[in-house]
Amino acid sequence: MKPQDTDRDLLNVVFLTPIERAEAPSESEDAIDEQKLSHELQRLGVKATFLTPYNVPLNPLSGWNFFIRSLDLARALVVMLRYRRCDAVISIFESGGLFVLLLRRLFFFRPPVMLWDASIGNAWRVVRMIQDRTFSRYDRFLMLTSSQVEYLQRRAKPGAVIRQIGYQVDEDFFHPRFNREEEYVLTVGDDESRDFETLVAALTDTAVPAVLKTRWVPSSTSAIEEGQLRFVADRLAD
């Protein structure tokens, strides 16, 4: 960002995060360092506003897990009344944008509402209900894996923009040469966005064993040497 740049040169983006409010980042394990993150985004041309879920009494669900506490009607009203001139709203996970999506026509709220990350294939009924009411309403999607993109291409509304932005992992820092002493690769999860197919393909030309803690089985494991890939359905011992 150039020194002469002003707020008018920046995109004004409102982020709906699932993190609860804290007086200082050190007071909560989940609290985000808004100042540091805002500075990094400003360098990329984005003026960020982070709106985290309110506490009781404004948000009766604040004591629940991150997905449920993001169902914050008060926060949605603040967005539609106070940030009407923003360039975009980005909800982190599906539930944060629910009330904005349902009420934006009533409030004549015009900025696009975008979704960052989604729990594809989640078996929890609450998650599925919210997905049924939001996937067809979000204007744009910023997904982490190709499996999320493929799924949303079938569920999103016509004309919705769907992009795979990846995890932004430092592949040099996490290169396998720095961790050769361990015995196997471990991956945990049941949702489709884990993308086990890609993991299997990546292991094909290696001798690295892998343990998949999941009930979901890739469609093809023929390329994996016998004994190289092991599935575990039960809880792993510490």
Side-chain angles (χ1 to χ4, degrees):
M1 177 181 171
K2 298 179 181 179
Q4 64 269 25
D5 287 344
T6 65
D7 287 353
R8 293 183 180 180
D9 301 314
L10 305 175
L11 285 175
N12 289 283
V13 179
V14 176
F15 289 85
L16 303 180
T17 79
I19 310 301
E20 290 184 301
R21 295 182 182 276
E23 294 299 325
S26 60
E27 295 185 7
S28 170
E29 293 181 358
D30 293 331
I32 57 176
D33 188 339
E34 293 186 5
Q35 183 176 2
K36 181 179 180 180
L37 188 54
S38 294
H39 176 72
E40 292 299 319
L41 289 170
Q42 190 167 339
R43 292 177 57 249
L44 298 174
V46 175
K47 180 183 178 183
T49 299
F50 298 98
L51 298 182
T52 54
Y54 286 104
N55 292 320
V56 175
L58 292 177
N59 180 14
L61 302 176
S62 65
W64 291 65
N65 65 53
F66 74 90
F67 196 88
I68 297 298
R69 69 180 177 230
S70 290
L71 295 168
D72 189 344
L73 177 59
R75 180 175 62 171
L77 294 175
V78 168
V79 170
M80 292 183 288
L81 295 175
R82 184 175 179 182
Y83 297 96
R84 301 181 62 82
R85 301 184 66 181
C86 69
D87 293 299
V89 175
I90 298 180
S91 175
I92 300 176
F93 306 129
E94 301 93 322
S95 55
L98 175 65
F99 289 123
V100 176
L101 293 169
L102 292 178
L103 300 174
R104 61 178 173 179
R105 288 188 178 180
L106 180 63
F107 284 84
F108 299 98
F109 186 75
R110 300 186 181 280
V113 183
M114 308 164 67
L115 176 63
W116 180 89
D117 201 8
S119 185
I120 303 301
N122 194 303
W124 190 18
R125 180 181 297 180
V126 174
V127 174
R128 290 182 176 272
M129 288 176 59
I130 293 174
Q131 289 175 342
D132 289 342
R133 289 159 177 77
T134 58
F135 281 165
S136 61
R137 288 182 166 90
Y138 276 109
D139 303 302
R140 299 170 191 175
F141 296 84
L142 304 174
M143 295 294 106
L144 305 181
T145 68
S146 58
S147 60
Q148 290 175 317
V149 171
E150 293 171 1
Y151 180 86
L152 288 168
Q153 286 173 340
R154 302 190 300 269
R155 294 288 305 276
K157 67 182 181 181
V161 178
I162 307 172
R163 294 288 185 268
Q164 179 184 349
I165 61 174
Y167 285 94
Q168 304 301 311
V169 174
D170 188 331
E171 295 182 354
D172 290 329
F173 181 83
F174 289 102
H175 194 280
R177 65 176 175 270
F178 297 119
N179 196 30
R180 292 181 178 276
E181 69 276 8
E182 302 300 338
E183 298 179 357
Y184 57 86
V185 172
L186 172 66
T187 180
V188 179
D190 289 316
D191 57 282
E192 297 176 22
S193 61
R194 302 291 173 178
D195 199 359
F196 293 120
E197 297 284 1
T198 298
L199 174 63
V200 171
L203 292 171
T204 298
D205 297 324
T206 75
V208 178
V211 176
L212 280 70
K213 168 59 180 74
T214 182
R215 292 168 293 182
W216 187 81
V217 181
S219 59
S220 174
T221 59
S222 59
I224 297 296
E225 297 180 10
E226 185 176 355
Q228 184 181 359
L229 192 66
R230 181 164 64 95
F231 290 90
V232 178
D234 301 325
R235 183 179 180 85
L236 291 174
D238 294 336

